[in-house]
């Protein structure tokens, strides 16, 4: 009986350790390089941020949003894991971003659908690389380009970032932009910082809209 109880105790301890490992895996693996920015203004869960220039690897994918980001992630991950001119691995960074092909006129908030149900999925490259030092993608669908510094209004939230959550937080951010009389320059960009197995309350998600400086 004692041996049986010890066995069940050990099994319980192993189960608890495994559970803690699953809980902590997402946050630990999300501790990667992120683009630097300066916070200009804070209003609860909304910030106005100034970002410096960044280099991104990006692809354009058509289709439903969740399927598109999965396909875009696969294509760019293939590049950074070694499918490139020098077979070199490029360190993972966060966030992975996704933006619709929708275009916004300079007289925002008037919008115009630009290229149908098309999404641009991006990985931000580590800061120590330049366009000259990054290995060239073997897949022509993967493009490397430099993005100039920009100012964004950003709303941050946790959870699964499903369609309803993204819509609700986008509307909250747009209302903030309107209340501040800011001029929007882009369609919303969705930013995801965590691996897909991260528990919802540990996730960091953002909606970002470029605004006039």
């Amino acid at each position: 009986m004692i041996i049986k109880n010890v066995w069940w105790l050990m099994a319980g301890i192993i189960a608890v350790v495994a559970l803690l490992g699953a809980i902590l895996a997402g946050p630990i693996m999300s501790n990667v390089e992120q683009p630097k920015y300066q916070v200009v203004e804070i209003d609860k869960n909304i910030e106005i941020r100034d970002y410096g220039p960044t280099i991104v690897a990006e692809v354009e994918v058509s289709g439903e949003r969740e399927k598109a980001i999965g396909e875009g992630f696969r294509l760019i991950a293939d590049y950074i894991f070694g499918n490139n001119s020098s077979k070199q691995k490029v360190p993972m960074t966060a966030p992975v971003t996704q933006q619709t092909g929708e275009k916004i006129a300079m007289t925002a908030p008037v919008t115009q659908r630009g290229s149908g149900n098309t999404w641009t999925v991006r990985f931000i490259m580590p800061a120590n690389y330049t366009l000259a030092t990054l290995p060239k993608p073997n897949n022509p669908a993967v493009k490397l380009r430099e993005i100039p510094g920009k100012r964004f209004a950003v709303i941050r939230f946790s959870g699964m970032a499903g369609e309803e959550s993204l819509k609700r937080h986008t509307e909250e951010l747009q209302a903030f932009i309107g209340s501040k009389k800011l001029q929007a320059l882009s369609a919303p960009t969705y930013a995801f910082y965590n691996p897909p197995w991260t528990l919802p309350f540990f996730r960091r998600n953002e909606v970002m809209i470029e605004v006039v400086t």
Side-chain angles (χ1 to χ4, degrees):
M1 179 64 70
I2 294 176
I3 294 176
K4 184 176 181 180
N5 289 339
V6 170
W7 170 255
W8 281 111
L9 178 61
M10 291 178 63
I13 292 173
I14 292 171
V16 169
V17 170
L19 177 60
L20 288 174
I23 290 173
L24 295 175
I28 290 172
M29 295 185 71
S30 303
N31 187 25
V32 295
E33 182 180 335
Q34 299 175 12
K36 293 180 172 57
Y37 57 82
Q38 290 187 330
V39 178
V40 177
E41 182 178 342
I42 300 177
D43 188 334
K44 298 178 182 177
N45 60 334
I46 296 177
E47 294 181 345
I48 297 178
R49 303 174 184 168
D50 283 342
Y51 284 84
T54 55
I55 296 175
V56 301
E58 67 178 29
V59 293
E60 287 195 357
V61 185
S62 297
E64 180 269 332
R65 187 191 67 80
E66 289 190 9
K67 182 178 179 181
I69 195 171
E71 176 65 9
F73 188 99
R74 183 188 67 79
L75 290 170
I76 306 176
D78 182 54
Y79 160 68
I80 69 170
F81 291 153
N83 186 17
N84 54 61
S85 57
S86 59
K87 298 183 180 179
Q88 173 185 346
K89 290 187 177 181
V90 179
M92 178 70 78
T93 65
V96 176
T97 68
Q98 180 183 31
Q99 185 180 38
T100 181
E102 184 179 38
K103 298 185 185 300
I104 294 196
M106 290 299 290
T107 52
V110 177
T111 65
Q112 179 180 9
R113 175 64 65 179
S115 51
N117 196 20
T118 300
W119 300 87
T120 300
V121 180
R122 291 174 175 158
F123 281 22
I124 298 168
M125 297 292 95
N128 61 311
Y129 284 97
T130 66
L131 284 176
T133 59
L134 276 167
K136 300 299 184 284
N138 290 333
N139 186 342
V142 180
K143 309 294 185 185
L144 300 177
R145 71 187 190 95
E146 187 168 9
I147 297 177
K150 297 180 179 182
R151 174 169 290 184
F152 286 91
V154 183
I155 185 168
R156 177 173 173 170
F157 57 101
S158 60
M160 294 301 294
E163 301 302 327
E164 286 302 316
S165 178
L166 289 171
K167 181 176 182 292
R168 182 173 70 256
H169 288 95
T170 298
E171 290 173 349
E172 184 178 347
L173 182 61
Q174 289 170 332
F176 169 84
I177 290 171
S179 70
K180 294 289 185 178
K181 295 182 170 51
L182 299 173
Q183 183 178 348
L185 295 178
S186 72
T189 295
Y190 306 135
F192 309 106
Y193 285 78
N194 309 101
W197 55 83
T198 307
L199 293 177
F201 49 85
F202 280 125
R203 289 176 181 249
R204 175 181 174 182
N205 313 300
E206 294 176 344
V207 179
M208 311 172 66
I209 296 177
E210 185 186 356
V211 294
V212 174
T213 56

